[in-house]
Amino acid sequence: MALKFNRHISIALIGINIIGTVLSCYLLWNYILLRWHLNYYIFAITALTGIAVMFIECKNKTFRYVGKFYGICWCFITIIGLMICRLAFSPTLCESGDYVMRRSLGIMGFETATLYKKSNLREVEVWRYELVYPKKIVPLDSLGAVVIYGDYPDGNGDLTSGTTIYPMDDSYYDNLPAIKEYAERHNIPYHKLQ
């Protein structure tokens, strides 16, 4: 079945697909995560326009076959992309001001929580924390630390609720006395500092 698009709509579909392909490749290549999961929307629009190219009617046989082949390729790319999106999706666990904590899977399947800093349309990765299940975070920018309220493995296969101060950047190690004072003021056991 061929769709009878006028020439301008056909050119717009192809143009949107090319721009989306370049943008998706750039974001993927540079590990750029956009806020509000915009990466997934860009991929979806690109995939749909790529598949729609298959249905554009053209008088030239060569262009018609190239369009069908291009659309079929985008069908396979979409299937692979959907599997990657399903594996790479990182839901928001908690948010605080300019920071957001997302769940992500580690290389060996260990769950990690990743702290991102909001920066315009981007979310820039700050730090990864293994085996942490945060419920609330309190960033301490001046100390280079973040207080994570959440669940932690207890060693017996269960989770225990607790509070821990983790590093947010390298200045954490320079501010250990101030962090110890903060922990004492807020009743966070100092031996739990990482």
Side-chain angles (χ1 to χ4, degrees), residues 84-98:
I84 291 172
C85 288
R86 176 68 181 114
L87 293 173
F89 182 73
S90 54
T92 301
L93 298 171
C94 53
E95 218 170 316
S96 177
D98 287 342

Side-chain angles (χ1 to χ4, degrees), residues 50-155:
I51 292 170
V53 168
M54 181 170 52
F55 299 106
I56 293 176
E57 187 177 287
C58 184
K59 291 179 183 175
N60 187 332
K61 248 184 182 177
T62 305
F63 287 136
R64 195 174 332 138
Y65 290 132
V66 167
K68 290 190 185 312
F69 178 74
Y70 188 76
I72 290 169
C73 288
W74 266 103
C75 289
F76 290 118
I77 291 170
T78 302
I79 291 168
I80 293 168
L82 286 173
M83 288 189 280
I84 291 172
C85 288
R86 176 68 181 114
L87 293 173
F89 182 73
S90 54
T92 301
L93 298 171
C94 53
E95 218 170 316
S96 177
D98 287 342
Y99 293 93
V100 61
M101 187 75 81
R102 295 188 177 278
R103 181 181 60 82
S104 57
L105 295 177
I107 295 171
M108 298 300 292
F110 297 113
E111 284 198 25
T112 59
T114 307
L115 183 67
Y116 291 95
K117 182 173 175 69
K118 298 175 189 175
S119 174
N120 297 327
L121 280 177
R122 294 179 59 193
E123 289 181 357
V124 180
E125 184 177 325
V126 176
W127 206 275
R128 286 182 179 258
Y129 309 97
E130 289 187 5
L131 300 173
V132 175
Y133 305 94
K135 295 179 181 172
K136 179 184 170 189
I137 58 171
V138 178
L140 306 171
D141 288 324
S142 60
L143 301 176
V146 61
V147 180
I148 299 177
Y149 300 90
D151 296 328
Y152 300 91
D154 64 359

